[in-house]
Amino acid sequence: MDKEKIYVSGPSITQKEIDYVDDAVRHAWYGNANIFHEKFEKAFANYVGTKYAIALPSCTSAIHLSVMALGIGEGDEAVVPETTWIASSAPLKYVGAVPRFADVDARSWCIDPASAERQITERTKAIITVDLYGNVPDMDAIDSLAEKYHLPIIEDAAEAMGAEYHGRKAGSLGKVGVFSFHGSKTMTTGEGGMLVTNDSDIYERALFLRDHGRKPGDVMFMNREVAYKYKMSSMQAALGLAQLERIEELVARKRQIFRWYEKELQGLDVTLNDEAENTRNTYWMVSIILDGKYGKTGEELRQFLAKDNIDTRPFFHPLSSIPAYRELGEARGMAEQNPVSYAIADYAINLPSGLDMTEEKVERVCNQIREFLS
Ligand SMILES: *Cc1c(COP(=O)(O)O)cnc(C)c1O
């Protein structure tokens, strides 16, 4: 008989979530249609420490709205780290802009400020930072860059709910921040996202663009621009509110899972997620890089673990190396320019990090890793 499957990611759902969604599906109609959105957005902005929050159907739509609200368009560029999910950069294409790929720092796995600076041109309109796997980049250095070149920062905090940099919450570190509530993320609404900002112009513009080009309270059916329809349902907002009320518990669980891995993998030559001083990593995906001395790749480890019914993910391949971008002029020659992203990818994987992980499951995964490396 096959061993119990260990999944790579997944949420924690309790009676609280079920009760809130039940309440929404029964009552959030007619005059109450927006009550859960209002509560969720207000509580979310309060948690992250921003003035505004807009609940959306995905993080991808939040990035699209951010790019548009910043006026980025045809022929413009934005600097994006190599190591991330394609959603960080895909919305640039929606507006006719192109990404410029920056390397990541070998320890934080987040955007390397020096490399980012080398990718800035006269067409650059923004720096997109990514809080990879729950960590945050060196924001002091990125802020200096942003100031020097007068560029806004879009902070992709999709993976970093609850993370902190010098006491400030991930998502509040740039001009605009975005989150994902996909089922794999630290908190979920099934599918969903959030845009946060302190800038009233960006907030107003995003509200306008996400509702078919009309301002809240505008004259009926007299849309001013052709735009988008990006809204979250009440049931999702209710689920999000319940998850948000449990966020410290969820983050504590993620941090606990990391500590278990750290303990179980002691003595092996593997590199785990870093947590710099004055930051709080929320370890969305516990990840390891195998030392080259083992002569084994991440893909080989993934296949070995799969035989034991353990699900994993590859570490993100550099964006400039994937088929969607390979042919882009901006992607050529990036392996030489961005050696860290390219060096990590072949030897690193994401380990099972779902909120259903237990110490026993972590032990089972780590015993297999030990066997693979021995
Ligand atoms: C998950 C993720 C997204 C996209 O989130 P969706 O809600 O699926 O659109 C964007 N950026 C990063 C870094 C992610 O991990």
Side-chain angles (χ1 to χ4, degrees), residues 58-60 63 84-85 87-88 130 156 158-159 180 182 185 192 284:
S58 66
C59 180
T60 305
I63 299 172
T84 183
W85 174 229
S88 302
V130 178
D156 182 348
E159 304 176 358
S180 172
H182 177 260
K185 298 287 168 31
W284 172 55

Side-chain angles (χ1 to χ4, degrees), residues 37 55-58 61 64-65 206-214 223 226-233:
H37 297 91
L56 295 166
S58 66
S61 57
H64 187 193
L65 291 177
L207 279 182
F208 174 83
L209 289 170
R210 72 87 165 256
D211 192 19
H212 280 309
R214 52 180 193 165
N223 311 61
V226 179
Y228 303 89
K229 172 64 193 297
Y230 284 155
K231 286 193 173 181
M232 178 183 266
S233 76

Side-chain angles (χ1 to χ4, degrees), residues 244-261:
L244 183 60
E245 288 177 1
R246 293 179 54 224
I247 190 63
E248 288 312 320
E249 177 198 335
L250 301 179
V251 165
R253 185 87 191 163
K254 285 284 192 188
R255 289 179 60 82
Q256 175 67 71
I257 293 166
F258 178 80
R259 298 284 165 236
W260 287 328
Y261 274 113

